[in-house]
Amino acid sequence: MLTCPQHGWSEFRLENTSRYSLSYLDDIAFEWLEQAIHGLENLYPFCVKGNLEPDRFLCVVSHWHCHIIIENDDRCPLDKDEIIHEFSDTNMLDFCRYLYEDISKNINEWASFVSYNNENTEVKFQELTNLLEKLRLLIISKEEYFGKGRGFT
C-alpha cells in the first residue's frame, strides 16, 4: 500500500486504484497510525490525508471499502470534473494490516520521513514503535468483527 519513503516521497496504492505520490508535508506514518487506531478502536470510519503537491489526497476508510478523493488545494468552488474519486474493496481491517506491515518493514525511514529542527529520530522511532504495537493489538482484537456474516450499522 505504501512504499518505503525516499527523498520525501512515498507511493500509495490500493487494489483497483491508481498510484499516488505522497509528500513529506504530512507525517504520514504518525498521522495515519493515529487515525487508524482511533477508527479501529471505535469501529468507526476514518480518513487519512496526504499532499500530492499541489493537490490534496484523502482516503476515507469505511468498514468494507476505501474511497480515494483527489481535490485541488485552491480555496475556490470545486468543479465536478476536477475531482478524482476512486474506490477499493479494501476493508478497514485490511487497510490497518497493510499500514502496519508497510510502516513496520521500513520503520527507520518512516521515523525520519519528516524531520524538522534536528528532531531526535530515536524518540520518533520509539513513538512509532509504540503506535505500531497498539495497532497490532487492535488488529488482533477486532478481527472477529470483520468475519463472514458480520455487519455494521
Side-chain angles (χ1 to χ4, degrees), residues 5-10 21-26 28 51 53 113:
Q6 285 189 314
H7 312 293
W9 294 88
S10 175
S21 295
L22 304 173
S23 87
Y24 71 95
L25 293 177
D26 290 288
I28 292 169
N51 198 306
E53 293 188 50
F113 185 58

Side-chain angles (χ1 to χ4, degrees), residues 66-122:
C66 290
H67 300 266
I68 295 171
I69 302 161
I70 308 300
E71 62 182 14
N72 66 37
D73 274 342
D74 295 335
R75 190 177 184 181
C76 59
L78 292 174
D79 183 344
K80 185 178 177 180
D81 296 330
E82 294 176 355
I83 299 171
I84 296 171
H85 177 234
E86 295 187 303
F87 62 91
S88 172
D89 290 331
T90 304
N91 68 44
M92 182 185 296
L93 191 66
D94 285 341
F95 182 94
C96 291
R97 282 183 180 132
Y98 300 150
L99 185 63
Y100 173 84
E101 291 168 10
D102 294 344
I103 294 173
S104 293
K105 71 182 171 189
N106 298 301
I107 192 167
N108 290 320
E109 291 84 354
W110 283 112
S112 61
F113 185 58
V114 176
S115 182
Y116 300 115
N117 303 323
N118 297 322
E119 289 176 302
N120 187 336
T121 53
E122 287 181 32

